């Protein structure tokens, strides 16, 4: 199950209390204090992993706790620090304070770690309070509580190129044909209900990540169809590929509607470099609308049945994506 938003409470571990202890050893009078400090409480750490693509497993957990630090011991022994709790999240996860909306972490690269709740500091043992005028202190301090946060997690998938089109334009079939991804394909609209990623090889060890999102329809900004919910996942793509049913009566009108819906979601989407694919070329030798010429971008006739234009698309998308500076921040929508 795909999940791109969830909330979770996290609690770092409390620090261990300081120890009150005195050295008691034969033939050593007035041994003095030897109580150790408490150990640090465990941190709560979020770590990005390339092996995860959804927040579903995290969404099943409501709270996350780290281990408390141990109490200090005698003989000036410091208590053991609490074990850190590490939560794996997908690359592209944005972590915000659920109450203020403040962005706390943006985990974009594999292995990136952020401490989201710091463990409490351990308390002081009575050894610390020894002085020339206070030889036998019977004082220690308790460990400090760990941080507690209520977090909101939002996933924005990372890809090089995003496919945008109407339902049944052939986006999922295209992704299946050029990559090893297996999105659902059927002869009815809205078969794609969640974003799907695929790796497209273009020879000589070169590849790029292609993303398919659920289809858009006119009025998506008003909630029609599946609405705009999944458009956040193309915010971080380097380029877009508009997949148009070239056999339709008004393919350029489809393109205009798609552009309008992207602009309603966020105007900066319209500034991304683009390709236009007039798909379903196997249904006839339809002419290319002259209006596409003013778009000043690559326009290709493609077919997922015959394979026409797919190699050209892969090469063009790879070159276009690599020519752009990597988009890492996305935008607030």
């Amino acid at each position: 199950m795909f999940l791109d938003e969830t909330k979770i409470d996290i609690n770092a571990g409390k620090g261990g209390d300081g120890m009150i202890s005195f050295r008691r050893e034969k033939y050593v009078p007035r041994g003095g204090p030897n109580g150790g400090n408490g150990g640090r409480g465990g941190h709560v750490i979020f770590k990005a992993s390339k092996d995860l693509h959804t927040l579903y497993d995290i969404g099943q957990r409501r709270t996350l706790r780290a281990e408390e630090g141990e109490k200090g011991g005698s003989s000036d022994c410091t208590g053991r620090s609490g074990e850190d709790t590490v939560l794996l999240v997908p690359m592209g996860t944005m972590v915000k304070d659920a109450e203020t909306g403040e962005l706390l972490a943006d985990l974009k690269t594999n292995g990136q770690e952020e401490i989201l709740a710091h463990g409490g500091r351990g308390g002081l043992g009575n050894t610390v309070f020894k002085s020339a005028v206070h030889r036998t202190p019977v004082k220690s301090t308790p460990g400090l509580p760990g941080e507690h946060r209520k977090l909101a997690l939002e996933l924005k998938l990372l890809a090089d190129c995003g496919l945008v089109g109407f339902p049944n334009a052939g986006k999922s079939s295209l992704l299946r044909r050029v990559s090893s991804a297996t999105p659902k394909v059927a002869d009815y609209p809205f078969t794609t209900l969640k974003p799907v990623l695929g790796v497209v090889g273009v020879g000589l060890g070169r590849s790029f990540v292609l993303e398919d999102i659920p289809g858009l329809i006119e009025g998506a900004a008003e909630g029609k169809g599946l609405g705009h919910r999944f458009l956040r996942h193309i915010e971080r793509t380097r380029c877009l590929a508009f997949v148009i049913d070239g056999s339709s009566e008004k393919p350029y009108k489809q393109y205009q509607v798609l552009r309008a819906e992207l602009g309603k979601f966020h105007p900066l989407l319209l500034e991304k470099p683009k390709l236009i694919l007039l798909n379903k070329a196997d249904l006839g030798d339809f002419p290319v609308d002259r209006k596409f010429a003013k778009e000043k971008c690559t326009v290709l006739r493609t077919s997922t049945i015959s394979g026409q234009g797919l190699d050209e698309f892969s090469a063009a998308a790879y070159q276009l994506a690599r020519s752009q500076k990597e988009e890492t921040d996305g935008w607030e929508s």
Side-chain angles (χ1 to χ4, degrees):
M1 180 178 177
F2 185 82
L3 184 67
D4 56 6
E5 288 182 328
T6 190
K7 293 184 177 181
I8 188 171
D9 287 359
I10 61 173
N11 297 275
K14 173 184 175 296
D17 296 337
M19 180 74 170
I20 297 177
S21 176
F22 294 92
R23 182 180 179 188
R24 292 179 175 84
E25 189 174 342
K26 194 175 182 180
Y27 307 121
V28 183
R30 300 184 181 88
N34 69 349
N37 299 332
R40 171 187 62 80
H43 300 318
V44 177
I45 301 172
F46 282 31
K47 182 177 181 179
S49 171
K50 62 181 176 58
D51 298 321
L52 298 177
H53 305 288
T54 174
L55 298 175
Y56 177 73
D57 291 335
I58 302 169
Q60 305 306 302
R61 309 175 69 169
R62 291 291 175 262
T63 60
L64 194 64
R65 296 181 182 277
E67 187 180 29
E68 294 185 354
E70 290 188 352
K71 184 177 181 179
S74 58
S75 301
D76 295 320
C77 291
T78 299
R80 184 177 66 85
S81 295
E83 185 175 350
D84 296 336
T85 295
V86 179
L87 181 66
L88 297 179
V89 298
M91 293 166 54
T93 299
M94 301 175 68
V95 185
K96 301 178 181 179
D97 187 296
E99 298 175 342
T100 66
E102 177 189 1
L103 180 63
L104 303 175
D106 192 0
L107 302 167
K108 303 180 289 287
T109 58
N110 186 48
Q112 180 181 350
E113 294 184 354
E114 293 287 347
I115 299 176
L116 273 305
H118 289 80
R121 189 174 63 183
L124 301 177
N126 66 334
T127 302
V128 175
F129 299 99
K130 178 182 177 181
S131 67
V133 296
H134 197 187
R135 300 284 186 90
T136 57
V138 287
K139 177 182 178 181
S140 66
T141 59
L144 299 180
E147 289 183 325
H148 168 254
R149 289 184 185 272
K150 294 183 178 181
L151 302 179
L153 276 61
E154 179 180 340
L155 175 61
K156 293 182 179 180
L157 294 175
L158 302 176
D160 295 304
C161 181
L163 298 176
V164 180
F166 277 80
N168 278 10
K171 304 189 310 304
S172 297
S173 298
L174 175 65
L175 184 62
R176 270 180 171 264
R177 186 66 188 259
V178 299
S179 74
S180 58
T182 57
K184 184 177 181 180
V185 174
D187 58 357
Y188 54 85
F190 297 113
T191 52
T192 300
L193 299 176
K194 62 182 181 180
V196 182
L197 299 177
V199 179
V200 182
V202 289
L204 299 177
R206 300 179 300 172
S207 63
F208 68 95
V209 179
L210 184 63
E211 178 182 5
D212 177 24
I213 65 170
L216 292 175
I217 63 173
E218 189 170 8
E222 289 73 45
K224 293 184 179 179
L226 295 179
H228 277 168
R229 179 177 173 227
F230 291 106
L231 282 180
R232 72 166 66 99
H233 295 292
I234 60 172
E235 288 184 14
R236 291 178 167 180
T237 58
R238 300 187 188 187
C239 63
L240 300 176
F242 290 87
V243 183
I244 310 296
D245 183 352
S247 65
S248 62
E249 293 183 2
K250 298 179 179 180
Y252 191 73
K253 176 64 175 177
Q254 286 190 27
Y255 171 74
Q256 288 180 311
V257 170
L258 292 172
R259 294 270 297 174
E261 291 300 328
L262 293 186
K264 291 176 183 177
F265 177 76
H266 203 297
L268 288 180
L269 282 177
L270 301 179
E271 299 180 10
K272 285 187 177 290
K274 60 184 179 292
L275 303 167
I276 298 176
L277 307 182
L278 300 178
N279 202 26
K280 303 187 180 182
D282 53 283
L283 296 181
D285 189 20
F286 49 80
V288 176
D289 193 322
R290 294 180 180 178
K291 296 178 182 178
F292 283 111
K294 65 182 181 182
E295 295 302 322
K296 297 180 180 180
C297 66
T298 301
V299 181
L300 298 171
R301 287 165 50 93
T302 59
S303 170
T304 58
I305 303 298
S306 66
Q308 176 183 342
L310 298 187
D311 289 342
E312 291 84 350
F313 158 67
S314 298
Y318 175 82
Q319 292 297 333
L320 188 59
R322 288 296 174 265
S323 68
Q324 304 302 312
K325 181 179 179 181
E326 183 175 2
E327 184 65 68
T328 57
D329 295 330
W331 318 292
E332 295 299 323
S333 54

